[in-house]
């Protein structure tokens, strides 16, 4: 039996129907997840990255049984999510950003007790677990207040505690730090690392790449529902062809400088984009595996031009996502 | 089984927090029904006082019996309507995002909707229930064949009501326009179920519609057992039909839940019906 | 005032509460339905002497139908007029509305005019349904009917203003409005003569202008009820005016309280 969450050639197509006047019209269905195979092993944090609409949330909803795949399989510790949905639900939980999923009228303690009952957490365990979780997310003081009187951060912390109520073996996190302030987000990251160290298999989606680089041992990068790359964050960052980006803004346009930079780019086989910035000044972006800032500046200064802006961006995970998922974005 | 009971206990907490000590319960579950009951009584009184009325309907001859008849109707209607209200509330869980949390859990869906309905019923209706018992005792209008019939009447009121609640919860949670269903099940429900009139006064087609609602038969049993000295034999038909309806409602609820969740899993859209 | 009228109509058409309309209409139609069925199947088309004695007429169905129509009129009008301000409060426009120099009375007249036009349609539908069910109505004296409508409007507006203040002060509309509706249905003599009520309840009813407006309406629509409508008309105007004055004087503190509450929240 394979441990971990394993998806094989996972597909999800939403039936796309639209109302047109009074009749329902079938339009081309949307493939939100398209042949995705990945593995979330226990005891580490696995990242799932992609631009908006790439299919991250859809994937997480399939893994958590909220959606049914249209193709492929998902197993959790060998149990199929469709055939053994109830057993899978016991082992899994989801935390998503946006502080929903708790009851306003109930206190934090009651919310946790309520969901503990739904998850059939053994009575004695539930009693201690509620207290532990309140402690863990720092809501012990406010435990007897109804949630409607909580701030957003407090709610989100309760949502996190709710996601841990059944001691899940696998935790699916969909942008869990969305809308949290820096100290709380920091605590949450520490908590995630600790959970992984304790053996929980975590799947994390996030748009904060620093978070992903810090926590994930392995990252899957998807675009339009398909896998485009995977590896450790460092490997992924290294995979991009265009590494360093030198951005340069000059005070006035000068055909000689432009010609010189074009020649330089051709000589090094680098990519060069020429346009103007918001102030109408000429702007150049040069991308190359090596850092070309020295030769670029020399070439410009030799021709007597004035540099008003200069940035050098080393390779990042963000670059990797942009270049690997959508070349058109990079060209901009 | 014990997991299902824990789900019911959890739902009871939720309803307790939502309803307990709310002035709305006092008003909508006691004061308004009583004021409406009085207005109904006075509205039909001129007809009941007509010379021929008591020949057609013996209850008409005695204002106290008439009032008891209408009060039994108001009581049963309040029980059933409280479940329409709570199902309407349940449907808001879709909007607030907690429905997703319920679907994420391994809790039995049927236990959830039954627990929710049963808990709402107890939270909502205990006040009017107690009041009705006290008033009936004080006014000395009860006419019961034997003490076991109290139990029969209570079960005939509560069990179908819970099935009704489970059914409505399952229906409204996925429905696009729960406000419309809510309106549809308010006034028309009392009209077709014989809450304010004896069934014989209703035209056949209204009776036919009314038979489909458990409130109608619950009321026949309640009035028969408590006001008319009916015994099990007299009520066998109504009780049998009530069992059929109750089982039917539970089955329908279960089918709706299954279809609804399967549909949600396919489309990702929580509005199904 | 014209602006208020036009604006409210626009909002009405855009977000007309159809469900609520069906609900109100159903209440009226089914009340008539119950009386109709009871009258035919139980009463055998006759009513008791107490009714004839109290109303001077044996037209039970006409009595109930006119009453149900009047109740629809009153509930719908109160919903529009009394809830206008708490709706603005909830949508956050009360503050800006209070900041404009417009006075309250013109605002109220604007709301009322708009409410009258929608409610007239609804009551017409109800009466049409009743006629289709076989209820025959007669209007012996159209002038008195007109007076009855004026009286009913004054009564409703008079009661709506203090109610509006109450809603604003309590920050709550549902309980307040439904309690008023169920109480009025019992106390004012819509579907049965108030003389049926116990004395204490009857006196409560006398204090409501709607009760007096209904008396004018009965004089206009009940054949055989030979009463002089004008004293009731006068009482209705005086009572309605008194309610209006009281309402206008308690409205500003209620508004302040509501704004104070929303500032705190
Ligand atoms: N219920 C649905 N019905 C139809 N299409 C859907 C549904 N849910 C998602 N989609 C589509 O599936 C695609 C993937 O959406 P998904 O929410 O999984 O993206 P995501 O990676 O989570 O994006 P984000 O970063 O914005 O959260 C999108 O094109 C989206 O429009
Ligand atoms: Mg997403």
């Amino acid at each position: 039996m394979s441990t971990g969450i394993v998806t094989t050639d996972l597909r999800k197509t939403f039936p796309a129907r639209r109302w047109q006047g009074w009749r329902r019209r079938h339009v081309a269905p949307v493939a939100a997840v398209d042949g995705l195979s990945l593995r979330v092993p226990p005891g580490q944090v696995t990242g799932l990255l992609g631009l908006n609409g790439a299919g991250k949330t859809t994937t997480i909803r399939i893994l958590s049984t909220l959606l049914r795949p249209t193709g492929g399989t998902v197993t959790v510790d060998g149990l199929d999510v469709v055939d053994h949905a109830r057993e899978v639900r016991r082992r899994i939980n989801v935390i998503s950003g946006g502080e929903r999923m708790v009851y306003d009228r109930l206190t934090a303690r009651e919310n946790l007790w309520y969901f503990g009952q739904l998850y059939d957490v053994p009575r004695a365990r539930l009693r201690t677990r509620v207290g532990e979780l309140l402690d863990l997310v720092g809501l012990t003081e406010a435990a007897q207040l109804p949630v409607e009187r909580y701030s957003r951060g407090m709610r989100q912390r309760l949502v996190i505690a709710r996601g841990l109520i059944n001691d899940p073996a696998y935790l699916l996190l969909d942008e869990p730090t969305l809308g949290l302030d820096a100290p709380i987000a920091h605590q949450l990251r520490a908590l995630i690392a600790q959970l992984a160290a304790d053996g929980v298999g975590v799947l994390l989606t996030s748009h904060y790449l620093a978070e992903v680089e810090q926590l994930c041992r392995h990252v899957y990068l998807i675009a339009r529902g398909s896998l485009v790359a995977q590896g450790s964050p460092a490997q992924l960052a290294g995979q991009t062809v265009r590494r360093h980006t030198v951005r340069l803004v000059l005070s006035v346009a000068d055909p000689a400088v432009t010609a010189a930079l074009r020649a330089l780019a051709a000589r090094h086989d680098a990519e060069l984009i020429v346009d103007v910035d918001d102030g109408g000044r000429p702007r150049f972006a040069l991308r190359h595996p090596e850092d070309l800032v020295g030769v670029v500046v020399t070439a410009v200064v030799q021709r007597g031009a004035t540099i008003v802006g200069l940035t050098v961006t080393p390779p990042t995970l963000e670059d990797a996502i942009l270049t690997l998922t959508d070349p058109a974005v990079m060209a901009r | 089984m014990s997991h299902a009971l824990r789900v019911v206990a959890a739902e009871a907490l939720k309803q307790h927090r939502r309803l307990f000590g709310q002035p709305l319960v006092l008003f909508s579950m006691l004061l308004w029904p009583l004021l409406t009951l009085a207005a109904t009584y006075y509205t039909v009184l001129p007809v009941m006082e007509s010379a021929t009325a008591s020949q057609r309907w013996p209850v008409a001859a005695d204002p106290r019996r008439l009032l008891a008849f209408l009060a039994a109707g108001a009581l049963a209607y309040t029980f059933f309507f409280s479940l329409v209200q709570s199902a309407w509330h349940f449907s808001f869980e879709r909007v607030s995002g907690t429905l997703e949390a319920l679907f994420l859990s391994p809790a039995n869906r049927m236990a959830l909707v039954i627990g929710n309905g049963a808990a709402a019923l107890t939270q909502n209706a205990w006040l009017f229930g107690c009041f009705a018992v006290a008033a009936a005792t004080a006014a000395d209008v009860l006419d019961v064949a034997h003490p076991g019939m109290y139990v029969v009447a209570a079960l005939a009121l509560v069990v179908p009501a819970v099935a009704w609640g489970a059914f409505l919860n399952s229906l409204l949670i996925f429905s696009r326009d729960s406000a419309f269903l809510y309106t549809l099940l308010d006034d028309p429900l009392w009209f077709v179920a014989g809450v304010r009139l004896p069934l014989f006064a209703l035209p056949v087609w209204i009776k036919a519609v009314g038979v489909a609602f458990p409130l109608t038969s619950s009321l026949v049993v309640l009035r028969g057992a408590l006001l008319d000295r009916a015994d099990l034999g007299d009520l066998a038909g109504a009780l049998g039909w009530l069992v059929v309806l109750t089982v039917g409602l539970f089955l329908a609820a279960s089918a709706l839940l299954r279809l609804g969740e399967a549909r949600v899993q396919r489309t990702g859209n929580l509005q199904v019906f | 005032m014209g602006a208020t009228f036009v604006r409210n109509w626009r909002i009405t058409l855009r977000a007309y509460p159809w469900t609520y309309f069906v609900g109100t209409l159903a209440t009226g139609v089914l009340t008539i339905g119950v009386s109709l069925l009871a009258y035919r199947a139980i009463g055998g088309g006759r009513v008791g002497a107490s009714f004839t004695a109290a109303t001077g007429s044996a037209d039970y169905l006409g009595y109930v139908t006119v009453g149900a129509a009047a109740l629809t009129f009153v509930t719908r009008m109160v919903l529009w007029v009394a809830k206008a301000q708490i709706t603005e409060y909830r949508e956050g426009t009360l503050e800006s509305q209070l900041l404009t120099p417009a006075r309250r009375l013109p605002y109220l007249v604007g709301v009322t005019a708009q409410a009258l036009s929608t409610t007239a349609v609804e009551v017409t539908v109800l009466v049409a349904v009743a006629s289709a069910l076989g209820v025959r109505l007669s209007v012996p004296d159209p002038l008195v009917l007109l007076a009855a409508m004026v009286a009913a409007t004054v009564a409703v507006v008079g009661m709506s203003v203090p109610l509006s203040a109450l809603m604003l002060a309590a920050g709550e509309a549902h309980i307040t409005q439904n309690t008023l509706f169920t109480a009025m249905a019992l106390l004012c003599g819509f579907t049965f003569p108030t003389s049926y009520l116990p004395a204490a309840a009857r006196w409560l009813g006398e204090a409501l202008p709607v009760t007096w407006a209904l008396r004018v309406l009965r004089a206009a629509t009940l054949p055989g009820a030979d009463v002089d409508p004008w004293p009731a008309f006068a009482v209705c105007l005086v009572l309605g005016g008194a309610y209006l004055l009281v309402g206008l004087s308690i409205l500003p503190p209620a508004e302040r309280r509501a704004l104070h509450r929303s500032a705190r929240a």
Side-chain angles (χ1 to χ4, degrees), chain A residues 133-321:
Chain A
L133 285 175
L134 288 170
D135 253 356
L136 186 70
V137 297
L139 285 175
T140 309
E141 307 261 287
Q144 306 293 4
L145 283 181
V147 172
E148 55 199 353
R149 299 192 20 209
Y150 281 15
S151 72
R152 274 177 79 183
M154 288 163 83
R155 270 163 186 268
Q156 182 61 17
R157 281 186 276 162
L158 180 59
V159 169
I160 293 164
R162 190 211 66 86
L164 298 172
I165 189 72
N166 59 330
D167 290 308
Y170 299 95
L171 192 57
L172 310 173
L173 304 172
D174 195 1
E175 304 184 37
T177 49
L178 192 71
L180 291 186
D181 66 19
I184 296 175
H186 180 78
Q187 282 170 19
L188 178 59
R189 283 194 288 271
L191 174 63
I192 295 171
Q194 184 57 48
L195 285 167
D198 292 344
V200 177
V202 180
L203 182 67
L204 171 72
T205 82
S206 175
H207 287 291
Y208 303 111
L209 295 170
E211 190 168 291
V212 174
E213 283 177 314
Q214 178 196 335
L215 289 171
C216 299
R217 196 170 318 160
H218 194 87
V219 173
Y220 292 92
L221 182 55
I222 63 172
R224 286 183 218 91
S226 307
L227 191 65
V228 290
Q230 59 170 309
S232 70
Q235 281 169 343
L236 273 191
Q239 263 188 28
T240 63
V241 187
R242 305 172 184 98
R243 288 176 171 178
H244 297 263
T245 306
V246 179
R247 287 195 181 80
L248 185 72
V249 180
L250 300 184
S251 57
V252 288
D254 181 345
V257 174
T258 309
L261 285 177
R262 279 195 201 288
L264 189 148
R267 201 159 58 243
H268 287 89
D269 198 20
E271 185 194 2
L272 176 70
I273 297 168
V274 185
D275 59 2
V276 290
D277 75 350
D278 297 337
R281 294 173 299 203
R283 185 169 66 179
F284 304 87
L286 204 70
R287 296 201 174 89
H288 191 265
E290 285 158 44
D291 186 352
L292 293 180
V293 67
V295 282
V296 168
V297 170
T298 311
V300 171
V301 171
Q302 273 175 355
R303 279 159 190 83
T306 314
I307 298 176
V308 294
L310 176 69
T311 56
V312 183
T313 320
T316 60
L317 194 54
E318 187 166 3
D319 261 334
I321 293 181

Side-chain angles (χ1 to χ4, degrees), chain B residues 165-211:
Chain B
F167 170 75
L168 288 177
N169 276 342
S170 313
L171 184 65
L172 263 67
I173 197 143
F174 295 120
S175 92
R176 265 168 238 281
D177 193 352
S178 47
F180 186 72
L181 279 171
Y182 181 82
T183 308
L184 200 69
L185 292 172
D186 184 351
D187 290 303
L189 181 62
W190 65 248
F191 190 70
V192 299
V195 166
R196 301 183 187 177
L197 284 178
L199 286 174
F200 78 83
L202 300 177
V204 168
W205 66 273
I206 294 183
K207 261 188 281 199
V209 175
V211 160

